[in-house]
Amino acid sequence: MIPDPPVGIELDEGGRAAMRTVLALLAEDRRAPSSITEPDRAWRVHVADSLSGLEVEALRTAARIADLGAGAGFPGLALAAALPAADVRLIESIGRKCEFMRRAIDRSGLANARVICARAEGLAESPPPRGEREAHQAATARAVGRLSTVAELASPLLVEGGVLVAWKGRRRPDEELELARAAPRLAMDPVEVIRVGPYAGSANRHLHVIRKSGPTPEQLPRRSGMAKKRPYGARG
């Protein structure tokens, strides 16, 4: 039996039913893009972990959310279930992961979630309807990459004043310093770090909240892969 969310994290009955459907698909699909597929464990590791992002008010109130490197659909699908008024875009460049998320959306009936099978850099080149540039109040990234990398990918997708919520494990001073050095070039300022270990999938889970502080810098987006290969703020 799949447990309810932890105290303080609310899903209505429709949201719980949608998540049960997603986790059932995760358990039955041998090609599912996750090594954690047993429903009880997946609820804790994927769903509860994803919903910990609701600690951030700017994410709770966002009208449009970009989930970067969405993978198997977390946190995006869980946020779509919890925030039915929000438009959640699941951005993923790997085709098999996109197909899994599309099946999950079809089965669960999460009408406010949509998969965009493309690289974030390409989407950030143009505004809607062709692209997603400066179209989101919030972005999310769960175990996608270094802080400066995900901040760079998020910056051109966010409106000015929008926030990135990045799920990380133990705090790493080297990454945080790298982000601080990169912040002026990205117009992305670190705001706070929230420890959510007690009810997240990782005992050392932290949420890094990073706010877009100005217009999108002219050099963003860089060409695909550069944010990971040569992150701003790195020494050497």
Side-chain angles (χ1 to χ4, degrees), residues 6-24:
V7 174
I9 298 177
E10 300 297 333
L11 282 177
D12 62 18
E13 184 51 44
R16 288 194 293 271
M19 285 296 95
R20 292 187 188 103
T21 299
V22 171
L23 296 189

Side-chain angles (χ1 to χ4, degrees), residues 38-52:
E38 191 277 320
D40 281 0
R41 188 177 178 216
W43 186 275
R44 293 188 296 272
V45 172
H46 291 318
V47 179
D49 191 31
S50 297
L51 294 177
S52 68

